[in-house]
C-alpha cells in the first residue's frame, strides 16, 4: 500500500476524443509527408509519425503559452504577480476576445492555479471565479483551431477534470465551465457550462479513479507525501 498525493487527473482521463485527436494528427502527418522513391513502408511510417508529433507539439506549445498568458492576467486581477505582463502580438486577437468575455461574465477571480488535494489524486484548478450571476465557477480556458470544423469540441474529459478538482475544494464550485478560445481567425470565444452539478462529474471521476487504483494496485491511505 502506498502513501502519497496520488496521480494527476490529467494523466488518468482519456477517451474517444483523445484517440480521435491522435488519429487525426497521424492522418495529417501522412497527408503532408510525401513518400520518397523506393522508401520502405516502415521508414515512411516513421517519418509520418514524426511529422504528426511535431505538429502536435507545436499546437500544445501554442495552447500552453496562451494558457500561461491567461494565468498571468487572472493573477493580476487578484493583485498578485508584478501586475505587468506583455501580450505577444501572436496572441493579441485571442487575448482581446477572452478579455471581453471575462469582463462581461466574471466578477472577481477567487483563485488561479489553485492546488487541490483529493484522496488519491492531486492537481491544480486553473481558475476559480464568481460569475456575475453570483455562482462560484470552476473554469478552464482551452484553445482550439476551428478553421476546418467551424465549431469547438467539448470532450467529456474536460468535465471530469474540472469535477475532480472541484470535488477536492473545501467548498465545491456551483458550476463547471469550459471557456473555449479559437486559435484561428476570426477569433471565437464560447463558454460551455456543463449541465449537471459539479458533484456528478466528481463522482464519475472517482469511479474511473477506483478502476485505475484496482488495475495498478494503488491504495493511498493518507494525503501525505511519503514514498513506499
Amino acid at each position: 500500500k502506498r502513501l502519497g498525493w496520488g496521480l494527476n487527473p490529467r494523466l488518468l482521463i482519456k477517451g474517444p476524443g483523445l484517440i480521435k485527436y491522435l488519429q487525426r494528427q497521424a492522418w495529417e502527418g501522412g497527408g503532408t509527408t510525401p513518400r520518397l522513391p523506393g522508401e520502405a513502408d516502415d521508414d515512411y511510417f516513421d517519418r509520418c509519425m514524426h511529422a504528426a508529433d511535431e505538429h502536435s507539439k507545436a499546437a500544445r506549445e501554442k495552447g500552453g503559452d496562451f494558457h500561461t498568458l491567461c494565468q498571468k492576467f487572472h493573477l493580476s486581477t487578484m493583485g498578485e504577480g508584478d501586475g505587468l505582463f506583455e501580450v505577444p502580438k501572436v496572441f493579441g486577437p485571442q487575448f482581446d476576445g477572452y478579455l471581453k468575455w471575462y469582463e462581461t461574465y466574471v466578477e472577481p477571480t477567487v483563485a488561479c492555479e489553485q492546488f487541490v488535494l483529493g484522496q488519491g489524486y492531486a492537481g491544480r484548478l486553473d481558475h476559480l471565479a464568481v460569475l456575475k450571476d453570483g455562482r462560484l465557477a470552476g473554469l478552464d480556458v482551452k484553445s482550439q483551431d476551428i478553421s476546418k470544423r467551424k465549431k469547438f469540441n467539448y470532450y467529456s474529459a474536460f468535465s471530469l477534470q474540472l469535477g475532480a478538482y472541484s470535488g477536492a475544494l473545501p467548498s465545491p464550485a456551483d458550476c463547471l465551465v469550459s471557456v473555449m478560445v479559437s486559435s484561428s481567425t476570426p477569433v471565437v470565444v464560447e463558454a460551455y457550462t456543463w449541465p449537471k452539478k459539479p458533484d456528478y462529474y466528481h463522482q464519475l471521476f472517482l469511479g474511473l479513479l477506483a478502476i485505475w487504483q484496482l488495475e495498478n494496485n494503488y491504495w493511498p491511505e493518507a494525503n501525505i507525501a511519503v514514498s513506499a
Side-chain angles (χ1 to χ4, degrees), residues 141-178:
V141 180
K142 295 188 179 295
S143 177
Q144 288 184 4
D145 183 346
I146 59 172
S147 59
K148 297 179 181 179
R149 61 177 184 268
K150 305 303 180 184
K151 64 179 182 179
F152 293 109
N153 287 329
Y154 292 95
Y155 301 120
S156 60
F158 296 172
S159 64
L160 298 181
Q161 180 183 329
L162 283 168
Y165 294 153
S166 174
L169 290 171
S171 298
D174 299 317
C175 60
L176 306 176
V177 183
S178 293

Short mmCIF file of all heavy atoms in Angstrom, two decimals, residues 141-178:
data_model
loop_
_atom_site.label_atom_id
_atom_site.label_comp_id
_atom_site.label_asym_id
_atom_site.label_seq_id
_atom_site.Cartn_x
_atom_site.Cartn_y
_atom_site.Cartn_z
N VAL A 141 -9.66 27.48 -19.30
CA VAL A 141 -9.55 28.09 -20.62
C VAL A 141 -8.81 27.15 -21.55
O VAL A 141 -7.72 26.67 -21.21
CB VAL A 141 -8.80 29.44 -20.55
CG1 VAL A 141 -8.71 30.06 -21.94
CG2 VAL A 141 -9.50 30.39 -19.59
N LYS A 142 -9.39 26.88 -22.69
CA LYS A 142 -8.76 26.00 -23.66
C LYS A 142 -8.76 26.65 -25.04
O LYS A 142 -9.67 27.41 -25.37
CB LYS A 142 -9.45 24.64 -23.72
CG LYS A 142 -9.33 23.85 -22.43
CD LYS A 142 -9.85 22.45 -22.58
CE LYS A 142 -9.70 21.65 -21.29
NZ LYS A 142 -8.28 21.45 -20.92
N SER A 143 -7.73 26.34 -25.81
CA SER A 143 -7.59 26.91 -27.15
C SER A 143 -7.70 25.80 -28.18
O SER A 143 -7.09 24.74 -28.02
CB SER A 143 -6.23 27.61 -27.26
OG SER A 143 -6.01 28.12 -28.54
N GLN A 144 -8.49 26.03 -29.22
CA GLN A 144 -8.64 25.05 -30.31
C GLN A 144 -8.64 25.76 -31.65
O GLN A 144 -9.14 26.88 -31.77
CB GLN A 144 -9.94 24.25 -30.16
CG GLN A 144 -9.96 23.25 -29.03
CD GLN A 144 -11.25 22.43 -29.02
OE1 GLN A 144 -12.11 22.55 -29.90
NE2 GLN A 144 -11.40 21.59 -28.00
N ASP A 145 -8.10 25.08 -32.64
CA ASP A 145 -8.15 25.56 -34.02
C ASP A 145 -9.45 25.05 -34.65
O ASP A 145 -9.63 23.84 -34.79
CB ASP A 145 -6.94 25.03 -34.79
CG ASP A 145 -6.88 25.55 -36.23
OD1 ASP A 145 -7.89 26.10 -36.72
OD2 ASP A 145 -5.83 25.40 -36.87
N ILE A 146 -10.34 25.97 -34.99
CA ILE A 146 -11.63 25.55 -35.57
C ILE A 146 -11.75 25.99 -37.03
O ILE A 146 -12.85 26.08 -37.57
CB ILE A 146 -12.82 26.08 -34.74
CG1 ILE A 146 -12.80 27.61 -34.67
CG2 ILE A 146 -12.82 25.48 -33.35
CD1 ILE A 146 -14.05 28.20 -34.03
N SER A 147 -10.61 26.24 -37.66
CA SER A 147 -10.65 26.72 -39.04
C SER A 147 -11.20 25.67 -40.00
O SER A 147 -11.77 26.01 -41.04
CB SER A 147 -9.24 27.14 -39.49
OG SER A 147 -8.33 26.05 -39.40
N LYS A 148 -11.08 24.39 -39.65
CA LYS A 148 -11.53 23.32 -40.55
C LYS A 148 -12.88 22.74 -40.18
O LYS A 148 -13.54 22.14 -41.00
CB LYS A 148 -10.47 22.21 -40.58
CG LYS A 148 -9.13 22.66 -41.15
CD LYS A 148 -8.11 21.53 -41.15
CE LYS A 148 -6.77 22.00 -41.70
NZ LYS A 148 -5.75 20.92 -41.68
N ARG A 149 -13.28 22.89 -38.90
CA ARG A 149 -14.54 22.28 -38.49
C ARG A 149 -15.59 23.29 -38.04
O ARG A 149 -16.74 22.94 -37.84
CB ARG A 149 -14.30 21.25 -37.39
CG ARG A 149 -13.68 21.81 -36.12
CD ARG A 149 -13.56 20.73 -35.06
NE ARG A 149 -13.05 21.24 -33.80
CZ ARG A 149 -11.78 21.27 -33.47
NH1 ARG A 149 -10.88 20.81 -34.33
NH2 ARG A 149 -11.39 21.74 -32.30
N LYS A 150 -15.18 24.55 -37.81
CA LYS A 150 -16.10 25.67 -37.52
C LYS A 150 -16.84 25.55 -36.20
O LYS A 150 -17.73 26.34 -35.92
CB LYS A 150 -17.13 25.81 -38.66
CG LYS A 150 -16.49 25.96 -40.04
CD LYS A 150 -15.54 27.15 -40.11
CE LYS A 150 -14.92 27.28 -41.49
NZ LYS A 150 -13.91 28.36 -41.57
N LYS A 151 -16.49 24.58 -35.37
CA LYS A 151 -17.10 24.51 -34.04
C LYS A 151 -16.12 23.85 -33.08
O LYS A 151 -15.21 23.13 -33.48
CB LYS A 151 -18.42 23.74 -34.07
CG LYS A 151 -18.28 22.28 -34.45
CD LYS A 151 -19.64 21.58 -34.42
CE LYS A 151 -19.50 20.09 -34.76
NZ LYS A 151 -20.80 19.40 -34.70
N PHE A 152 -16.32 24.11 -31.80
CA PHE A 152 -15.44 23.57 -30.78
C PHE A 152 -15.83 22.14 -30.43
O PHE A 152 -17.00 21.76 -30.52
CB PHE A 152 -15.50 24.42 -29.52
CG PHE A 152 -14.93 25.80 -29.69
CD1 PHE A 152 -15.76 26.92 -29.70
CD2 PHE A 152 -13.56 25.99 -29.82
CE1 PHE A 152 -15.24 28.20 -29.84
CE2 PHE A 152 -13.03 27.27 -29.97
CZ PHE A 152 -13.87 28.37 -29.99
N ASN A 153 -14.84 21.38 -30.02
CA ASN A 153 -15.10 20.04 -29.49
C ASN A 153 -15.08 20.11 -27.97
O ASN A 153 -14.11 20.58 -27.37
CB ASN A 153 -14.01 19.06 -29.96
CG ASN A 153 -14.15 18.72 -31.42
OD1 ASN A 153 -15.26 18.70 -31.96
ND2 ASN A 153 -13.05 18.44 -32.07
N TYR A 154 -16.16 19.66 -27.35
CA TYR A 154 -16.23 19.59 -25.90
C TYR A 154 -16.16 18.13 -25.50
O TYR A 154 -17.12 17.37 -25.68
CB TYR A 154 -17.53 20.21 -25.40
CG TYR A 154 -17.60 21.71 -25.62
CD1 TYR A 154 -18.22 22.25 -26.73
CD2 TYR A 154 -17.02 22.58 -24.70
CE1 TYR A 154 -18.27 23.62 -26.93
CE2 TYR A 154 -17.06 23.95 -24.89
CZ TYR A 154 -17.68 24.46 -26.01
OH TYR A 154 -17.72 25.82 -26.20
N TYR A 155 -15.02 17.73 -24.99
CA TYR A 155 -14.81 16.33 -24.62
C TYR A 155 -15.24 16.10 -23.17
O TYR A 155 -15.06 16.97 -22.30
CB TYR A 155 -13.34 15.96 -24.80
CG TYR A 155 -12.84 16.14 -26.21
CD1 TYR A 155 -11.79 17.01 -26.48
CD2 TYR A 155 -13.42 15.45 -27.27
CE1 TYR A 155 -11.32 17.18 -27.79
CE2 TYR A 155 -12.97 15.61 -28.57
CZ TYR A 155 -11.91 16.48 -28.83
OH TYR A 155 -11.47 16.66 -30.10
N SER A 156 -15.78 14.92 -22.90
CA SER A 156 -16.22 14.60 -21.54
C SER A 156 -15.07 14.69 -20.55
O SER A 156 -15.28 14.97 -19.36
CB SER A 156 -16.83 13.20 -21.49
OG SER A 156 -15.90 12.22 -21.91
N ALA A 157 -13.84 14.49 -21.03
CA ALA A 157 -12.68 14.58 -20.14
C ALA A 157 -12.57 15.97 -19.51
O ALA A 157 -12.08 16.11 -18.38
CB ALA A 157 -11.40 14.26 -20.91
N PHE A 158 -13.03 17.01 -20.23
CA PHE A 158 -12.99 18.36 -19.67
C PHE A 158 -13.80 18.43 -18.37
O PHE A 158 -13.36 18.99 -17.37
CB PHE A 158 -13.54 19.38 -20.66
CG PHE A 158 -12.78 19.53 -21.94
CD1 PHE A 158 -13.29 20.30 -22.98
CD2 PHE A 158 -11.55 18.92 -22.12
CE1 PHE A 158 -12.58 20.47 -24.16
CE2 PHE A 158 -10.84 19.08 -23.31
CZ PHE A 158 -11.36 19.85 -24.33
N SER A 159 -15.01 17.86 -18.42
CA SER A 159 -15.89 17.93 -17.25
C SER A 159 -15.37 17.07 -16.10
O SER A 159 -15.49 17.45 -14.93
CB SER A 159 -17.31 17.49 -17.63
OG SER A 159 -17.33 16.12 -18.01
N LEU A 160 -14.78 15.93 -16.42
CA LEU A 160 -14.27 15.05 -15.37
C LEU A 160 -13.07 15.68 -14.66
O LEU A 160 -12.92 15.57 -13.44
CB LEU A 160 -13.87 13.70 -15.97
CG LEU A 160 -15.00 12.90 -16.62
CD1 LEU A 160 -14.48 11.57 -17.14
CD2 LEU A 160 -16.13 12.68 -15.63
N GLN A 161 -12.22 16.34 -15.43
CA GLN A 161 -11.07 17.02 -14.83
C GLN A 161 -11.53 18.14 -13.91
O GLN A 161 -11.08 18.26 -12.77
CB GLN A 161 -10.17 17.57 -15.92
CG GLN A 161 -8.94 18.30 -15.40
CD GLN A 161 -8.11 18.90 -16.52
OE1 GLN A 161 -8.06 18.37 -17.62
NE2 GLN A 161 -7.47 20.01 -16.25
N LEU A 162 -12.46 18.97 -14.41
CA LEU A 162 -12.99 20.06 -13.58
C LEU A 162 -13.72 19.51 -12.36
O LEU A 162 -13.61 20.05 -11.25
CB LEU A 162 -13.94 20.93 -14.41
CG LEU A 162 -13.29 21.90 -15.39
CD1 LEU A 162 -14.35 22.49 -16.34
CD2 LEU A 162 -12.59 23.04 -14.64
N GLY A 163 -14.46 18.42 -12.55
CA GLY A 163 -15.18 17.81 -11.43
C GLY A 163 -14.25 17.27 -10.38
O GLY A 163 -14.52 17.37 -9.17
N ALA A 164 -13.14 16.68 -10.82
CA ALA A 164 -12.16 16.15 -9.87
C ALA A 164 -11.60 17.26 -9.00
O ALA A 164 -11.49 17.13 -7.78
CB ALA A 164 -11.02 15.45 -10.64
N TYR A 165 -11.24 18.39 -9.64
CA TYR A 165 -10.66 19.49 -8.89
C TYR A 165 -11.69 20.16 -7.98
O TYR A 165 -11.41 20.51 -6.83
CB TYR A 165 -10.06 20.52 -9.85
CG TYR A 165 -8.88 20.00 -10.64
CD1 TYR A 165 -8.57 20.53 -11.89
CD2 TYR A 165 -8.07 18.98 -10.14
CE1 TYR A 165 -7.47 20.06 -12.62
CE2 TYR A 165 -6.98 18.51 -10.86
CZ TYR A 165 -6.69 19.05 -12.10
OH TYR A 165 -5.61 18.58 -12.81
N SER A 166 -12.90 20.35 -8.50
CA SER A 166 -13.94 20.98 -7.70
C SER A 166 -14.25 20.14 -6.46
O SER A 166 -14.45 20.68 -5.37
CB SER A 166 -15.20 21.17 -8.54
OG SER A 166 -16.27 21.66 -7.75
N GLY A 167 -14.30 18.83 -6.64
CA GLY A 167 -14.62 17.95 -5.53
C GLY A 167 -13.57 17.93 -4.45
O GLY A 167 -13.84 17.50 -3.32
N ALA A 168 -12.35 18.38 -4.77
CA ALA A 168 -11.27 18.42 -3.79
C ALA A 168 -11.17 19.76 -3.09
O ALA A 168 -10.34 19.94 -2.19
CB ALA A 168 -9.94 18.09 -4.47
N LEU A 169 -12.01 20.73 -3.49
CA LEU A 169 -12.01 22.04 -2.84
C LEU A 169 -12.72 21.96 -1.48
O LEU A 169 -13.63 21.14 -1.31
CB LEU A 169 -12.73 23.07 -3.72
CG LEU A 169 -12.06 23.50 -5.02
CD1 LEU A 169 -13.04 24.34 -5.85
CD2 LEU A 169 -10.78 24.28 -4.73
N PRO A 170 -12.34 22.80 -0.53
CA PRO A 170 -13.06 22.83 0.75
C PRO A 170 -14.54 23.10 0.57
O PRO A 170 -15.38 22.51 1.25
CB PRO A 170 -12.36 23.97 1.51
CG PRO A 170 -11.00 24.06 0.91
CD PRO A 170 -11.19 23.72 -0.55
N SER A 171 -14.86 24.01 -0.35
CA SER A 171 -16.25 24.29 -0.71
C SER A 171 -16.38 24.14 -2.21
O SER A 171 -15.84 24.97 -2.97
CB SER A 171 -16.66 25.71 -0.29
OG SER A 171 -16.57 25.86 1.10
N PRO A 172 -17.04 23.08 -2.71
CA PRO A 172 -17.12 22.84 -4.14
C PRO A 172 -17.76 23.99 -4.91
O PRO A 172 -18.55 24.78 -4.36
CB PRO A 172 -18.00 21.58 -4.23
CG PRO A 172 -17.85 20.92 -2.90
CD PRO A 172 -17.70 22.04 -1.91
N ALA A 173 -17.42 24.11 -6.17
CA ALA A 173 -17.98 25.15 -7.03
C ALA A 173 -19.46 24.88 -7.28
O ALA A 173 -19.94 23.76 -7.13
CB ALA A 173 -17.22 25.20 -8.35
N ASP A 174 -20.16 25.93 -7.68
CA ASP A 174 -21.59 25.80 -8.02
C ASP A 174 -21.77 25.26 -9.44
O ASP A 174 -22.81 24.67 -9.75
CB ASP A 174 -22.29 27.16 -7.90
CG ASP A 174 -22.24 27.71 -6.49
OD1 ASP A 174 -22.45 26.94 -5.54
OD2 ASP A 174 -21.99 28.93 -6.34
N CYS A 175 -20.80 25.53 -10.30
CA CYS A 175 -20.90 25.08 -11.69
C CYS A 175 -19.50 24.94 -12.28
O CYS A 175 -18.53 25.46 -11.73
CB CYS A 175 -21.74 26.06 -12.52
SG CYS A 175 -21.06 27.74 -12.59
N LEU A 176 -19.43 24.23 -13.39
CA LEU A 176 -18.17 24.00 -14.09
C LEU A 176 -18.29 24.54 -15.50
O LEU A 176 -19.28 24.28 -16.19
CB LEU A 176 -17.85 22.50 -14.13
CG LEU A 176 -17.83 21.78 -12.79
CD1 LEU A 176 -17.60 20.29 -12.99
CD2 LEU A 176 -16.76 22.38 -11.87
N VAL A 177 -17.28 25.29 -15.93
CA VAL A 177 -17.36 25.99 -17.22
C VAL A 177 -16.07 25.78 -18.01
O VAL A 177 -14.97 26.02 -17.50
CB VAL A 177 -17.60 27.50 -17.04
CG1 VAL A 177 -17.75 28.18 -18.39
CG2 VAL A 177 -18.82 27.76 -16.15
N SER A 178 -16.21 25.34 -19.25
CA SER A 178 -15.09 25.27 -20.18
C SER A 178 -15.17 26.50 -21.10
O SER A 178 -16.18 26.68 -21.79
CB SER A 178 -15.15 23.99 -21.02
OG SER A 178 -14.94 22.85 -20.22
#
